[in-house]
Amino acid sequence: MYYLETNYTITDVENIKVKTNYVCPDDSSSESPSYLTTKTGEEFTVCKYNYYCHKNSYCIKSLSQYSLAKDYINNFYGSYIINKENPTKKMIILSCNKKTFKNKICTTDSCDSNSDCFSDNCVDGVCMINPDDPVYVCGTTKENSQFKVKCLLNYQENCKSDEECGDNTFCRLGNICLDKRTTIDHDLKKYLIPVVILIIISLIIFVLYQIEKNNIKEKKNKKGKNNLNEIN
């Protein structure tokens, strides 16, 4: 994958006029319109704009029409992408959240310095998010029947609500922008433990019921035999 450095700020990117032409303009990330889907499942076809920005610096443009986080669920991996105009330069755009890294569902290519990471935060060879300067992913969306480029928090960034997260991710599992299918071990255990306890209790109740049922049956049989003996 490739990227281009730009002189666009995050405000400039959000002011891009989205085109639906058969041939997309130079500021888009693809030559022709792409098939896209909103968080609510609405489908539309339009030129794809795919930028990554910080609040107070210039943005970069991904030259892939696909999200860099596409199809990552419980095995997220941030890899280097190459500068199209200067192939000797490369950068890891997507970084890990401390929580997902700790749970071993996120890692990145090895970084040597902060400059290797778009987050500007290389920790022990892994690109980590920078809570003080989060990355925003800017992409084409549809709101109120209007196409626009909207910049929202990138995958793995800290969040407070679903509305803050971009790339069709959701704010979940400890307030992180993630794919809705992502699970973290302790979150899974949080739901599994009550289920297991409920199953065990149900089994105990069932066994006790069967024992009591058999006892009642044996008592009836014994009583029937005693009555028969008295008659004889």
Side-chain angles (χ1 to χ4, degrees):
M1 289 187 179
Y2 294 94
Y3 74 93
L4 286 175
E5 295 177 351
T6 77
N7 59 358
Y8 288 174
T9 65
I10 192 170
T11 301
D12 294 330
V13 171
E14 288 195 308
N15 285 329
I16 291 175
K17 302 299 181 184
V18 175
K19 304 295 183 181
T20 57
N21 307 12
Y22 180 73
V23 178
C24 292
D26 290 340
D27 57 3
S28 71
S29 296
S30 59
E31 295 180 353
S32 57
S34 302
Y35 174 80
L36 303 174
T37 307
T38 65
K39 281 186 181 181
T40 58
E42 183 179 358
E43 301 170 350
F44 58 98
T45 302
V46 71
C47 291
K48 171 71 173 177
Y49 298 81
N50 197 11
Y51 288 78
Y52 292 87
C53 305
H54 290 281
K55 282 289 188 182
N56 299 307
S57 58
Y58 292 132
C59 304
I60 63 170
K61 180 177 73 171
S62 169
L63 296 182
S64 171
Q65 61 178 310
Y66 301 107
S67 163
L68 297 183
K70 186 177 177 63
D71 292 334
Y72 288 108
I73 304 174
N74 277 2
N75 188 25
F76 177 82
Y77 193 89
S79 56
Y80 279 104
I81 63 174
I82 300 169
N83 187 313
K84 181 71 172 179
E85 295 177 336
N86 184 359
T88 62
K89 292 181 66 175
K90 58 182 182 178
M91 186 184 295
I92 300 170
I93 307 302
L94 301 181
S95 299
C96 290
N97 189 287
K98 183 177 180 180
K99 187 174 182 180
T100 56
F101 177 72
K102 181 180 178 181
N103 280 272
K104 299 181 179 180
I105 61 172
C106 180
T107 190
T108 72
D109 280 340
S110 179
C111 56
D112 296 318
S113 64
N114 288 340
S115 61
D116 289 334
C117 310
F118 190 60
S119 64
D120 197 36
N121 189 28
C122 177
V123 180
D124 296 329
V126 178
C127 288
M128 304 294 288
I129 66 165
N130 183 351
D132 296 325
D133 190 18
V135 174
Y136 291 82
V137 56
C138 306
T140 315
T141 189
K142 185 179 182 182
E143 290 184 351
N144 301 320
S145 301
Q146 298 293 319
F147 296 122
K148 62 187 296 186
V149 178
K150 191 169 185 177
C151 298
L152 298 168
L153 289 171
N154 195 25
Y155 196 81
Q156 298 282 328
E157 294 288 350
N158 295 324
C159 55
K160 294 180 180 178
S161 66
D162 290 344
E163 290 71 26
E164 292 182 315
C165 298
D167 252 359
N168 284 347
T169 59
F170 297 82
C171 189
R172 51 195 306 275
L173 303 184
N175 295 343
I176 306 170
C177 290
L178 295 170
D179 185 286
K180 63 182 178 182
R181 297 165 293 179
T182 303
T183 58
I184 294 179
D185 284 347
H186 70 79
D187 292 278
L188 194 59
K189 290 175 183 177
K190 181 174 69 176
Y191 296 105
L192 282 179
I193 290 174
V195 172
V196 171
I197 292 174
L198 182 61
I199 291 173
I200 292 173
I201 292 174
S202 299
L203 286 173
I204 292 173
I205 292 173
F206 177 75
V207 170
L208 291 175
Y209 170 76
Q210 290 297 324
I211 292 173
E212 182 64 21
K213 183 178 178 181
N214 289 334
N215 288 338
I216 293 173
K217 186 176 181 180
E218 288 178 4
K219 287 180 181 179
K220 286 183 177 180
N221 290 338
K222 187 175 181 180
K223 184 177 181 180
K225 288 180 180 179
N226 291 336
N227 291 337
L228 185 62
N229 290 333
E230 290 177 1
I231 293 173
N232 293 333

